[in-house]
């Protein structure tokens, strides 16, 4: 699937001699500094996205990247104006068929000089940067330093580029719509949704890059856009894969179905279920305190149950009428992708989870 997206960009955007203008990097290591992951993207110090509950910190200064955007500024510093970055990213999250602690993301960036942005307009009065103090103000349509003309031209190119991508992937009749949103590192910011099987679904986030990021990268005379695309979600939609755990399966019955997907970009392959083993449900209930975070509990379940855990759902919340203590009850659904599980082995895992809830989260079981 990564190859299909890269193929689209390399086929669609070329020089006069036929060379691809977008460089592609897919071997960048996942360990980054907090400065790369947050500061370089203008994420405020107290922003919730920095929380240890949502990230995999290695120490105070390093973590597993939460997004491929962590490499934006570094590649701009290298002098690149057009590039794609693909890599695995890591986030602590809930447990269900569409969430996994590691997934794959693709970042796209394109920068423009004044000449590149306005070359089709044939108007020398157009400029990227605002010179009139009366118009040096941030609005919903532009950043402080940008002219409205520049912002609209970048927006037009961004939306046209991404609409062409999704129509190439999902079909030229695919309905799309744009929604305004917020990211610290872009403004204006947009989410692209597509109508898929009768419902609107979010595809990607994008926007006009904050000028401060370009200045840090030594490209202060340019303006640009960026987008971030989740490849796992895209694969599940395109290939009709119902469970994200399958994307990490080494079962040949799964892998053989998709061996030609990246070779022929026009291949229309749909996942064919090869088995459906029965689930095994186990409940756990415990009293929570003010410091409790669900992601801490999910991490315990993941670390012990691994890919045997299909999903975890909170099925009850109770407040004691006398002492106001609160408790949560969670149902853990165990199901293997390739075999039937036994009640004995699941009981053993469940007991280990109960033990860690008490010892690591210092909570009382009910």
């Amino acid at each position: 699937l990564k190859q299909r997206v890269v193929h689209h960009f390399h086929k669609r955007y070329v020089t006069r001699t036929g060379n691809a203008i977008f460089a592609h990097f897919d071997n960048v290591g996942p360990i980054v500094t907090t400065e790369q992951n947050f500061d370089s993207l203008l994420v405020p110090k107290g922003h919730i996205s920095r929380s240890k509950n949502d990230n995999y910190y290695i120490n105070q200064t390093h973590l597993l990247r939460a997004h491929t955007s962590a490499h934006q500024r570094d590649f701009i510093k290298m002098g690149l104006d057009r590039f794609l970055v693909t890599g695995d990213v890591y986030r602590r999250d809930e447990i269900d068929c569409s969430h996994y602690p590691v997934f794959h993301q693709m970042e796209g960036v394109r920068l423009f000089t004044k000449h590149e942005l306005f070359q089709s307009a044939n108007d020398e009065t157009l400029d990227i940067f605002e010179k009139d103090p009366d118009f040096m103000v941030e609005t919903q349509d532009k950043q402080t330093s940008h002219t409205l003309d520049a912002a609209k031209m970048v927006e037009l190119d961004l939306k046209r580029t991404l609409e062409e991508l999704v129509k190439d992937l999902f079909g030229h009749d695919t309905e799309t719509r744009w929604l305004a949103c917020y990211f610290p590192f872009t403004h204006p910011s947009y989410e692209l949704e597509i109508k898929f099987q009768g419902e609107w679904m979010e595809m990607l986030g994008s926007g006009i890059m904050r000028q401060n990021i370009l200045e840090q990268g030594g490209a202060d005379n340019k303006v640009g856009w960026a987008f971030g695309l989740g490849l796992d979600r895209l694969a599940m939609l395109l290939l009709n894969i119902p469970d994200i755990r399958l994307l990490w399966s080494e079962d040949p019955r799964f892998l053989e179905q998709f061996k030609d997907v990246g070779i022929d970009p026009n291949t229309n392959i749909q996942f064919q279920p090869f088995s459906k083993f029965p689930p095994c449900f186990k409940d756990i209930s415990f009293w929570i305190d003010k410091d409790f975070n669900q992601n801490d509990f999910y991490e315990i379940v993941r670390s012990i149950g691994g890919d045997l855990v299909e999903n975890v759902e909170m099925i009850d919340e109770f407040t004691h009428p006398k002492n106001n203590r609160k408790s949560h009850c969670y149902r853990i659904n165990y199901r293997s992708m390739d075999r039937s599980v036994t009640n004995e082995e699941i009981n053993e895992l469940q007991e280990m989870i109960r033990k860690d809830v008490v010892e690591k989260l210092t909570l009382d079981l009910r």
Side-chain angles (χ1 to χ4, degrees), residues 58-239:
I58 297 171
N59 52 40
Q60 289 186 337
T61 58
H62 291 77
L63 73 160
L64 295 174
R65 64 184 167 221
H67 40 216
T68 47
S69 306
H71 305 291
Q72 273 185 13
R73 185 201 55 195
D74 297 335
F75 281 116
I76 293 172
K77 273 188 173 182
M78 293 168 59
L80 296 171
D81 287 346
R82 297 170 292 265
F83 57 87
L84 304 170
V85 182
T86 308
D88 43 355
V89 297
Y90 303 80
R91 297 180 192 171
R92 302 179 70 190
D93 215 331
E94 57 191 298
I95 302 177
D96 58 31
C97 65
S98 62
H99 290 86
Y100 207 73
V102 55
F103 56 99
H104 302 88
Q105 193 174 70
M106 177 176 284
E107 187 84 9
V109 168
R110 182 167 190 175
L111 307 185
F112 301 88
T113 62
K114 173 184 174 179
H115 172 72
E116 291 169 334
L117 190 62
F118 296 118
Q119 59 183 333
S120 62
N122 195 26
D123 186 346
E124 291 297 323
T125 65
L126 296 175
D127 203 343
I128 290 177
F129 301 108
E130 187 59 66
K131 295 181 174 60
D132 188 336
D134 292 337
F135 292 95
M136 290 183 181
V137 59
E138 181 160 300
T139 70
Q140 63 179 4
D141 297 314
K142 75 175 198 74
Q143 297 174 37
T144 303
S145 62
H146 295 165
T147 63
L148 185 59
D149 292 322
K152 288 301 181 183
M153 287 294 287
V154 177
E155 176 187 347
L156 176 65
D157 188 86
L158 167 67
K159 291 183 175 180
R160 181 171 54 204
T161 299
L162 296 179
E163 286 176 359
E164 288 177 351
L165 171 63
V166 298
K167 289 179 184 293
D168 192 12
L169 293 172
F170 288 91
H172 293 285
D173 295 330
T174 304
E175 291 184 58
T176 62
R177 70 179 182 185
W178 292 92
L179 302 177
C181 63
Y182 168 77
F183 300 114
F185 32 85
T186 55
H187 180 78
S189 302
Y190 317 97
E191 287 182 349
L192 174 59
E193 293 187 345
I194 66 168
K195 203 163 194 179
F196 185 76
Q197 297 181 348
E199 295 186 4
W200 288 104
M201 304 192 69
E202 178 190 341
M203 276 300 301
L204 52 84
S206 63
I208 299 176
M209 296 179 68
R210 283 285 183 183
Q211 198 61 30
N212 288 358
I213 297 176
L214 300 187
E215 291 171 357
Q216 292 175 25
D220 50 323
N221 64 325
K222 299 173 184 178
V223 67
W225 52 249
F227 73 86
L229 172 67
L231 293 175
D232 301 63
R233 173 178 291 187
L234 183 59
M236 293 176 73
L237 289 176
L238 278 171
L239 307 176

Side-chain angles (χ1 to χ4, degrees), residues 38 43-55 57 293:
F38 302 117
V43 177
K45 289 294 184 185
H47 197 273
I48 191 172
S49 64
R50 291 177 178 256
S51 170
K52 66 178 180 64
N53 294 319
D54 298 322
N55 298 284
Y57 280 90
N293 185 282

Side-chain angles (χ1 to χ4, degrees), residues 7-20:
H7 178 270
H8 168 84
F9 276 91
H10 285 180
K11 175 185 67 174
R12 177 70 179 80
Y13 304 100
V14 296
T15 64
R16 292 180 180 178
T17 57
N19 295 320

